[in-house]
Amino acid sequence: MSKIEVKSLYKAYVAGNGRGPEQCAKDQLILKDVSFEVKERSFTCFVGPSGCGKSTLLRIIAGFDSPSGGAVLVDGRPVERPSSKHIFVFQEDGLFPWMTAYENVAIGARWIEDKKERHEQVMEYLELVGIDGFENHYPHELSGGMRRRAEVARALITNPDLLFMDEPFSALDFMTRMHMREEMVNVHAMFDTTILFITHDIDEALQLGDQIIVLSERPTEVKADITLDFPHPRDLGSEPLAKIRREVYFLMGLHAAL
Amino acid sequence: MDRGTLRRRISSISGFVLLILVWEGAIRLFHVSHYKLPGPVDVGKGLLELAGSGVLLDHVIASLFRVTWGYFLAVVTAVPLGLVLGIWRGAREVINPLIQFLRPISPLAWIPIALLWLGVGDPPAIFLIFLSSFFPLVVFSMSGVESINVTYIRVATNFGLKGLELYMKVIFPAALPSIVTGLRITLGTAWLVIVAAEMIAVKSGLGYLIVDSRNSLRTDYVIGGMIVIGAIGLFLDHMIRKLEDLPGIRWHGKQR
C-alpha cells in the first residue's frame, strides 16, 4: 500500500463550493487535477517553475490547508489537520527567534516525559546535525546553514512519520547547500521517514529523490512522475541519470540550458 | 571607549554647549530682561538653590510617584486586555472601535472629569497618567498578537502546542517586542502628561513647581524645572530601552 495517495486534487483561491475545476476562473485555480502516490520510507522530490502550486500542494498534504476538491490519503485515511507526526520544515525561518537552538530543538522533544532523557536526546540531536556547542545561541546569532540544521534537528527528534521540506536549502550559499544535500542522504538512510521535498534545483532532486514529480506552471498538473532506482552516492554524469536529467530539463522547457 | 563612541559622545554634548552659548549670547546682545529669560548661570544658581533646600527632590519624588502608579496600573490592565483582544477576534471587533475612538482624546481633555470624579490631589493625576498609557498599550499589545508571523503559529500547531503552553511559549514571546515598544512610547507620554496634570490638580510635583514659580516671577526656577523634566525623561527612556536588549526581545528586526 502506498504511504500517501493524492487523487484528483484541485485547489482554487475562492472556495470552490463543490464546483469542479472547469468552472473556476483560470487565475483562481492553483492545483488542477493532481494525482500521484508516494511509497513508504521513500524520498520524493517536487520540481516545477516558481509560483506554481508546489508549496500549496505540500501544505495540503500536511493538513495546513484544505483542498477545494479531490482526496489526500495518508496511510489510507484522509488528512484533516496537522499532526505532530507529520513535521513541516518551512521555507522561511521556522525557528522561534526568542528561543535558543537548544530550546527550539526541545520543542520537538516535548513528548519525552523524563527531563534527563529529554535533555540527553536534545543534546544528541544537536550533535547529530553538527551544531553542538551552539545550543545557547539564538537563531539570529547562527549562520543560515546552522539555522537549517537546528530546524532539521527539531523535526527529526519527533521521530516523524512524514517529513515535509519546502525548499529548505534555497537561501544557503553553494558550499553549504552541497553539504546539506549530502547530509539529507544520510538522514534518510538513518531514519525510517517518508520525505517530501520541494526544490527548484533539478540536480538536488536527482541526487536525493527516489521519485521526482515534475509539476507544470499554474494551474499545476503533474507533468511527469519519475522513479529513480539508483544507489547513493549518485554520479549525475553517469548515463541513465544524465538521460533523466535531460528529460526533466526538457519537461520544464529548459532546452537551451543543457 | 573606541573612537567612534567617543566622537558620538562629543557630538551629542556639543549640541547642548551650542544651545547654552546661543542662549547667553542672545541675552547679552538683546538685553533681555531677567524676568523674561534669565541666563544659563542664573538658572544654574536657581537649580542649586532648589536642590540645596530639598524642595527639588520633593517635587521630583512627587512626580515620579504619580507616574509610577498611573503607568503601573495601565501596564497591568492594558497588556492583558490587549493580548486577549489580539487572540479573541469577536471581542476585538466589539472593543477595538471603542478604543480607537477614545485614544485620540487627549488625556488633558479628561482633566475636568478627573477633578469632578476624584477630587483634588494624587488620584486625578494618577488617573490621567493611567489614561495616557492605557489606550496606546492596549493597541500595541493587540497588534503585537495580530501581526505574529503565521509561520510561528503553524510551527507551534505542527508540534502540537496548544492552550496555555501555546500562549506562554509562542504567542506572548512573539508579541513581546511590540509590547516593549508600546511600554517605551507610553512611558514617554506619561511623563509628558504628568507635568500638565500637576499644573492643575495638585500642589506638588515638577508641573506645580513650574506654575508656582511663574506666579512668583521666578523664571529661573521655571527653566530649571524644565531642565529637570527633560533630564528625567531622557533617563527614563534610557532605562526602558534596556528592555529591548533582553535576549528574548533582541531578535526583533534582526531576522535575516
Side-chain angles (χ1 to χ4, degrees):
Chain A
M1 194 179 75
S2 298
K3 182 72 185 167
I4 300 171
E5 282 175 83
V6 174
K7 292 184 205 162
S8 320
L9 188 73
Y10 82 94
K11 173 76 180 172
Y13 271 131
V14 187
N17 293 332
R19 292 181 303 168
E22 55 284 340
Q23 271 98 6
C24 286
K26 205 184 164 205
D27 59 338
Q28 291 174 342
L29 202 58
I30 307 165
L31 303 174
K32 180 187 168 191
D33 197 20
V34 175
S35 300
F36 60 86
E37 291 183 15
V38 169
K39 284 202 196 81
E40 178 101 50
R41 284 193 272 284
S42 66
F43 198 126
T44 303
C45 291
F46 296 84
V47 295
S50 57
C52 86
K54 293 180 299 228
S55 301
T56 310
L57 175 62
L58 241 64
R59 276 205 302 274
I60 291 173
I61 303 172
F64 286 108
D65 211 339
S66 51
S68 308
V72 179
L73 305 177
V74 175
D75 296 322
R77 279 187 300 273
V79 173
E80 277 163 357
R81 61 182 70 85
S83 155
S84 47
K85 298 305 284 173
H86 304 167
I87 299 297
F88 206 111
V89 175
F90 287 91
Q91 193 169 356
E92 330 92 277
D93 279 332
L95 291 175
F96 296 131
W98 53 87
M99 292 183 184
T100 61
Y102 180 94
E103 289 166 334
N104 266 292
V105 175
I107 284 286
R110 286 168 63 255
W111 51 276
I112 303 172
E113 300 270 343
D114 184 53
K115 267 191 175 175
K116 190 165 161 272
E117 195 195 331
R118 187 163 60 212
H119 171 75
E120 280 165 7
Q121 282 270 314
V122 172
M123 293 312 286
E124 193 188 317
Y125 275 80
L126 284 165
E127 202 183 317
L128 176 83
V129 298
I131 54 165
D132 45 323
F134 291 91
E135 59 265 23
N136 293 325
H137 288 236
Y138 285 87
H140 73 262
E141 298 164 337
L142 299 172
S143 70
M146 285 171 154
R147 286 205 292 268
R148 304 320 300 195
R149 284 163 196 274
E151 213 173 330
V152 169
R154 185 178 66 180
L156 290 175
I157 203 170
T158 64
N159 196 12
D161 192 34
L162 294 180
L163 182 59
F164 298 89
M165 304 183 88
D166 186 356
E167 297 199 24
F169 310 139
S170 58
L172 304 177
D173 64 85
F174 181 77
M175 282 303 288
T176 315
R177 203 162 68 226
M178 291 298 137
H179 282 301
M180 296 297 281
R181 201 185 274 181
E182 230 174 276
E183 283 168 40
M184 276 314 293
V185 174
N186 299 335
V187 161
H188 188 228
M190 276 173 69
F191 291 84
D192 282 344
T193 302
T194 310
I195 301 178
L196 283 81
F197 191 101
I198 293 179
T199 178
H200 58 246
D201 184 336
I202 295 165
D203 286 359
E204 194 164 76
L206 289 162
Q207 282 286 7
L208 294 172
D210 300 317
Q211 182 184 11
I212 297 179
I213 293 175
V214 184
L215 298 168
S216 70
E217 280 170 9
R218 267 176 60 182
T220 304
E221 292 173 285
V222 174
K223 266 195 166 174
D225 188 340
I226 304 163
T227 307
L228 296 169
D229 198 5
F230 304 100
H232 295 282
R234 291 174 178 168
D235 175 9
L236 295 190
S238 69
E239 195 33 53
L241 271 167
K243 184 166 168 276
I244 294 170
R245 187 165 178 258
R246 278 197 296 275
E247 215 177 289
V248 175
Y249 269 84
F250 189 78
L251 279 166
M252 292 181 71
L254 302 163
H255 307 281
L258 278 168
Chain B
M1 205 185 320
D2 62 88
R3 281 186 60 181
T5 325
L6 188 68
R7 196 187 57 78
R8 274 195 300 278
R9 286 271 163 87
I10 292 172
S11 303
S12 61
I13 290 169
S14 53
F16 287 97
V17 174
L18 192 70
L19 176 71
I20 291 168
L21 288 177
V22 170
W23 176 7
E24 181 68 41
I27 285 168
R28 291 190 184 193
L29 196 65
F30 301 113
H31 307 288
V32 183
S33 102
H34 183 76
Y35 297 110
K36 279 194 175 158
L37 181 62
V41 179
D42 291 332
V43 168
K45 277 185 196 156
L47 259 177
L48 282 177
E49 275 170 40
L50 284 171
S53 63
V55 176
L56 184 64
L57 188 65
D58 288 346
H59 287 309
V60 168
I61 288 172
S63 292
L64 285 176
F65 168 81
R66 292 176 192 122
V67 166
T68 308
W69 270 106
Y71 184 68
F72 171 76
L73 290 174
V75 172
V76 297
T77 51
V79 173
L81 177 64
L83 289 174
V84 169
L85 292 180
I87 296 157
W88 185 10
R89 192 170 155 191
R92 180 165 73 239
E93 282 168 0
V94 175
I95 309 274
N96 190 34
L98 243 143
I99 289 171
Q100 297 302 342
F101 165 73
L102 289 169
R103 199 161 67 110
I105 301 174
S106 163
L108 305 183
W110 285 84
I111 287 177
I113 298 279
L115 292 173
L116 278 172
W117 288 355
L118 300 164
V120 286
D122 287 336
I126 291 172
F127 176 66
L128 291 172
I129 298 305
F130 170 81
L131 279 177
S132 74
S133 306
F134 181 79
F135 294 114
L137 267 177
V138 171
V139 173
F140 272 104
S141 311
M142 183 173 69
S143 66
V145 175
E146 268 187 296
S147 61
I148 293 176
N149 186 338
V150 67
T151 302
Y152 300 146
I153 303 294
R154 281 187 176 143
V155 170
T157 321
N158 202 177
F159 285 94
L161 286 148
K162 48 179 172 285
L164 194 63
E165 202 181 11
L166 175 67
Y167 294 121
M168 295 314 291
K169 287 195 174 164
V170 178
I171 291 179
F172 183 64
L176 204 52
S178 171
I179 294 172
V180 168
T181 305
L183 289 177
R184 183 161 67 77
I185 289 171
T186 50
L187 184 60
T189 323
W191 190 242
L192 278 176
V193 170
I194 188 63
V195 174
E198 285 170 343
M199 288 179 168
I200 292 143
V202 289
K203 294 257 175 281
S204 64
L206 292 165
Y208 172 75
L209 169 71
I210 288 176
V211 174
D212 190 49
S213 305
R214 189 213 58 182
N215 291 342
S216 51
L217 288 178
R218 287 301 299 262
T219 319
D220 53 342
Y221 286 1
V222 171
I223 294 173
M226 288 168 71
I227 290 170
V228 174
I229 289 166
I232 292 175
L234 206 63
F235 172 75
L236 290 177
D237 191 61
H238 179 73
M239 293 311 284
I240 203 148
R241 264 174 200 275
K242 289 193 189 299
L243 275 181
E244 291 175 345
D245 292 332
L246 292 176
I249 295 160
R250 215 170 25 198
W251 56 273
H252 198 61
K254 286 198 181 156
Q255 284 298 88
R256 271 192 250 188

